[in-house]
Amino acid sequence: MSTSSPFEGSQLNSRPPSPFVRRPSNQHISTSVPFTVTPASVTTSPTSPNETPVSPQQSTTTSLQTSPEGPQGREQSSATGPGPLQLPEATMAVKTQQPVGSAMSEAVAISKGPGLIRRISRGAANRLSRRRRSSSNVNSRDHSSGPVVMRRRSDSRGGLENSREAIDLEPHEQHDEDEGDDATRMLSFDSARDGSGCGSVSGITNYGSAPIPESDCTSAPVVPLNLKKGAFLTKISKKKKKTMKFFLDIDAAKVSWDPFRPAKRFYIDDLKEIRVGADARNYREEFQVPSEIESRWFTIIYADQDRTKGRPFKTMHLIAPNDDMFNLWTATLESIWKYRSAIMAGLAGSGEKYIKAHWRREMVKKFGDNSHPEEDEKMNLDGVEKLCRNLHINSSKNQIRAQFANADIGNTNNLSFVEFKDFVRRLQERKDVNEIYKAVVSDPWVGMDISEFMNFLSTTQGVDTDGDVAHWGTVFEKCVRKAKTERQGSKDVTDETPLRMNAESFSAFLASSYNSALSIPDDFSRAALDRPLNEYFISSSHNTYLTGRQVAGESSTEAYIRALQRGCRCIEIDCWDGADGRPMVCHGRTLTSKVLFSDCISVVAKYAFVASPYPLIISLEVHCNAEQQVAMADILKTLLIDWLLLEPLMTNPLSLPSPEELKNRILIKVKIPGDETDGQVSSSDVSITRRERGLSSPFSRPVVLDNTTIPPTPSVSSPAAGSPSEWTTCIWGPGRGSITGGTGTSASSFTDESDSNQGTNGSQRKTKKPRSNIVKPLGDLGVYTRGQKYGGFGLPESKSYNHVFSFAERTIMNLCKDEDRKAQLEKHNVRCLMRVYPSGWRLDSSNFDPNKFWRLGVQMVALNWQTWETPAQMNDAMFASGTDRTGYVLKPKHLRQPRTFADFAEGIKIADLTREKEVIKFSVEMISAQQLFRSRNTGSEDSMNPYIEIEVFSADDPAKGVASGEGGLDASARNGMSGIGAPHKRRTRIIQSNGYSPIFNDTFTMSIETRFPSLVFVKWSVWNSRDGKNWVSSSEKPLATFTAKLSSLQEGYRHLPLYDRNGEQLLSTLFCRIRKEVPVSIDREDAKSGKVESIRQFVRSGFSRTLSIERKAFKEEIRSVTSVV
């Protein structure tokens, strides 16, 4: 079969422009667009990808609720079909001939696998994180009713200025409060960070100018017949382009393109974004596709549940044969995704329309398009149990059967729609919240009035209601009127009786964004970020371009988009020579893929200030020759012309400007030009290792630091680097795509961005300072962030206010082994900038504990953002609350300024100057969890036996920190020590066979002694005991987690959002009550007199005595529960 290329543009000029062509990036186009179709009776599957499956003779302007081909039933008949609520089955045309090449070409393509080194890397990674996969578990997703994650609006351009307005309800905005269910107003912390307001269900496609209209979630979208039977699209990758048939299975909500290979599919529930037009232009240009194709190009980004190559997401690039097919695919995927997201989110709310939607969908499956009396619409127990599994209601069969029996008033073993509503209400009933409501309301039958609501906020929730009475009054009115609207079934509620909040609306308030667990600022425009830049912790990323592993992962502009959407304010770009004269971005001398430097900067220009208006720092690691460095400078100036800072601000010339002064500015961190690095230097104090990745590889030999004292009067110039023969040779040989001859730098002399030099231990000789390979046009872009080689903290260049030192984690830890150098490092970070990044030996893109370096005052603690583990979660928590969401957090006072100038000059350590230890006490009443989801390796018939683990992290050394606790089971170190690498840990009891609404009612009281109260983090982890009796091994992964900075947590009853292993927010929540006490300082004299040490010994002895008692009590409790069950 002959196929024509989608790049042939003979018909492009005659085709009308697509309504989905990207307009200015801050605008949108409606998904309900007109498109031309042909009735099913005359529609045939095209024999060529360029043969249009639709006819221009007949058109419609209706939304996807009307099938373009007319009604189509479950039987493959073109005559009759179900109504618009029908969710017809897809027809997988397994034997359809596809437009592929010859058998020989297919065999050659299959034989061309990855190289040996890449296969070894993949095999090692798979063995490190291998998990047995079950085909039944994969297929179980085909029956899911919707996604389990809360998607944020990824195309938000609202910024942070209007975050308060996004959650406020003005009196005249009455229509907004009735558009969505309570569940859709549950706070999405992802959306809060990117400025998109609350976690409401919204679109995923970046279109053009007009807002995307919300679909009617009570009616299922109908899929056009030609998408079910299969439609040709051209799939583009770096290796090839191939035209193939794509099938849309509406029942399983998945798209597949190879019926013989089940892995060749993605689920619509995993969709993160569909990019079209200008938003996908960087990909189109990367694959060198003509601009005429842009109107038919769309990029699909979806979550990678298997984390192939360690990446959390995948991208697929497709070209439609014509504009109509383009509109059909993008609008249909959008409509299905919104419908399934809304129907899952509505399960946690109280809106009747979502219950009706579930009922109608089941009835359509049962009756199809056959007419039937309404009284015949019933659901038996088997149907209810199946529906609960599809809705991820992980309750025991006994519990479901009990609620079914209670709802079956007529004892008919079937439920009518009225009885089904009662069944759902019983499942949704929050007995834990009802008890709280009864305790805070004088008369539960009458309801809570406005004064009782304000009293609850001030006394229980710790809210300063006096400062914003009008706002909280509006919140109260909204919650009450919404409940009345749902009860009376009308939006026009004009009852003049005094407003009172019932238990249902009270529960909705506790789960809403108004009752967020983390503080939300009133208005970011009034954020006082007016201190110098060096006085802030800055949200920073390492190797930002990587989506997975360090050695053989993928480089993508998508990684920059994700980081910037999440509020990152310091990104890294590793630049290497491109073969065609265009600089490339990759992890040099490894097997990672490449991406154009210009594409990365283009993406940065578009997304730089999506999540925060405060300055963005681009950290350049330059390995290019002089010619391509000039090209880099031209690209930066051209694409970032509106934001790039090219000269100092005329403010204080002796200190860095504030984030407020640098608002909407982009700073370039780059080494100083070569003409500024000439001179002599004494290298007696220089024995610091180079960047551990040295030569951009993790296989360089580290150099041991020496502990010589920094001389009091060093010379002006920087120290020398070792001779080429002294450098460790990289086993990978010359860098991929780099130029080692001519004006380029040889492979043996390449250095990374590390600002530390290598020298001979104890050498006293004078050596020539190495000349920087950075050309002046590029180096001059470093205005306030000039990369400087570390030669000692006593050198004049280390005193300049606008320099930046960069260290690998091992280098800075070796520095801190010497107390004098550690004190000088802390002093340096009071006034100047420093950046630290993970070791090159972290091949799996793991991370260090950021508290190690935050406590030293390091501003830019750069982590691998593609790995969602505890360090990354702590970093996320650091910048997740209030004005911290700007990406800038003001450092504690003792890390910003010394006590006196004399102390500063004498070299006294900053921690010893002003930081006395404090005792931090808080309690967590772990009440319940809501709608916990199974892990992928758990069978649908396996019971869920959840328990909660709470960990407390501090920034003290393990030998100097003391932590204690009460309640639950202690799972931390036996000696009671707490600090870096030794969190205090406690567990709840195991709840058997209930993952939907487990009640724990365990109270934990924590006490921790620390010098860094602002660096205390609390982590909640949800685990599933397989047998309901034993705890899970620490080597396994939890079901979900949530991490927060203790100082950011609000007191009172709060719902905590939970995140999966990819960092995606789930629909699951934890419900708890948080109480915090005022920190108590430990007096220095008491510490010297030995009182504190006696307290420590008492705590340690108490731990050793009570640990066995706690374990014994828990075992007895589990044994008693098991016997009852």
Side-chain angles (χ1 to χ4, degrees), residues 816-875:
C816 291
K817 290 179 181 178
D818 183 273
E819 290 297 324
D820 291 335
R821 281 180 173 169
K822 181 179 179 182
Q824 292 172 350
L825 184 146
E826 292 170 340
K827 287 196 311 180
H828 170 274
N829 294 338
V830 170
R831 185 171 181 265
C832 303
L833 293 173
M834 182 176 289
R835 181 176 178 268
V836 63
Y837 49 85
S839 166
W841 290 99
R842 296 183 180 272
L843 303 183
D844 58 350
S845 295
S846 60
N847 289 300
F848 49 72
D849 187 335
N851 264 345
K852 289 182 180 180
F853 307 107
W854 282 332
R855 66 177 182 173
L856 298 175
V858 178
Q859 294 85 359
M860 292 172 280
V861 178
L863 299 180
N864 294 307
W865 280 40
Q866 67 270 34
T867 306
W868 185 255
E869 52 189 8
T870 299
Q873 295 169 28
M874 293 172 63
N875 184 80

Side-chain angles (χ1 to χ4, degrees), residues 316-328:
M316 178 184 291
H317 312 288
L318 301 169
I319 299 176
N322 51 62
D323 290 342
D324 295 323
M325 187 57 66
F326 168 86
N327 294 338
L328 207 57

Side-chain angles (χ1 to χ4, degrees), residues 965 969-970 986 1099-1113:
L969 175 68
D970 180 32
R986 305 193 80 82
V1099 171
R1100 294 170 191 169
S1101 61
F1103 267 88
S1104 60
R1105 289 196 302 269
T1106 60
L1107 191 59
S1108 59
I1109 299 176
E1110 289 179 342
R1111 293 185 183 275
K1112 183 178 179 180

Side-chain angles (χ1 to χ4, degrees), residues 593-611:
S593 60
K594 302 176 182 179
V595 64
L596 284 174
F597 176 75
S598 58
D599 288 344
C600 296
I601 300 303
S602 177
V603 164
V604 170
K606 185 179 298 182
Y607 292 89
F609 303 107
V610 165

Side-chain angles (χ1 to χ4, degrees), residues 6 49 232-234 296-298 318-323 325-326 329:
F232 284 108
L233 295 172
T234 301
R296 297 185 281 118
W297 173 292
F298 59 105
L318 301 169
I319 299 176
N322 51 62
D323 290 342
M325 187 57 66
F326 168 86
W329 270 108

Side-chain angles (χ1 to χ4, degrees), residues 399 402-409 419-431 996-997:
Q399 183 179 0
Q403 298 295 358
F404 182 92
N406 293 332
D408 184 13
I409 301 177
E419 292 172 330
F420 178 73
K421 283 196 301 182
D422 182 53
F423 170 80
V424 175
R425 297 292 189 194
R426 291 176 182 273
L427 285 179
Q428 292 178 333
E429 183 181 6
R430 293 289 303 273
K431 296 180 179 179
Y996 181 68
S997 56

Side-chain angles (χ1 to χ4, degrees), residues 546-608:
L546 288 179
T547 61
R549 305 193 302 267
Q550 298 288 315
V551 176
E554 180 181 354
S555 303
S556 173
T557 57
E558 199 62 41
Y560 288 101
I561 296 174
R562 281 177 59 86
L564 293 172
Q565 285 178 338
R566 293 168 58 188
C568 184
R569 295 292 85 194
C570 178
I571 59 175
E572 182 181 23
I573 303 181
D574 291 2
C575 311
W576 295 79
D577 289 328
D580 56 354
R582 296 188 296 174
M584 305 297 294
V585 175
C586 66
H587 197 182
R589 297 188 175 86
T590 64
L591 298 177
T592 58
S593 60
K594 302 176 182 179
V595 64
L596 284 174
F597 176 75
S598 58
D599 288 344
C600 296
I601 300 303
S602 177
V603 164
V604 170
K606 185 179 298 182
Y607 292 89

Side-chain angles (χ1 to χ4, degrees), residues 142-157:
D142 292 354
H143 306 291
S144 173
S145 293
V148 299
V149 298
M150 290 184 71
R151 298 297 187 199
R152 67 178 183 269
R153 190 177 182 89
S154 55
D155 58 342
S156 170
R157 296 292 185 272

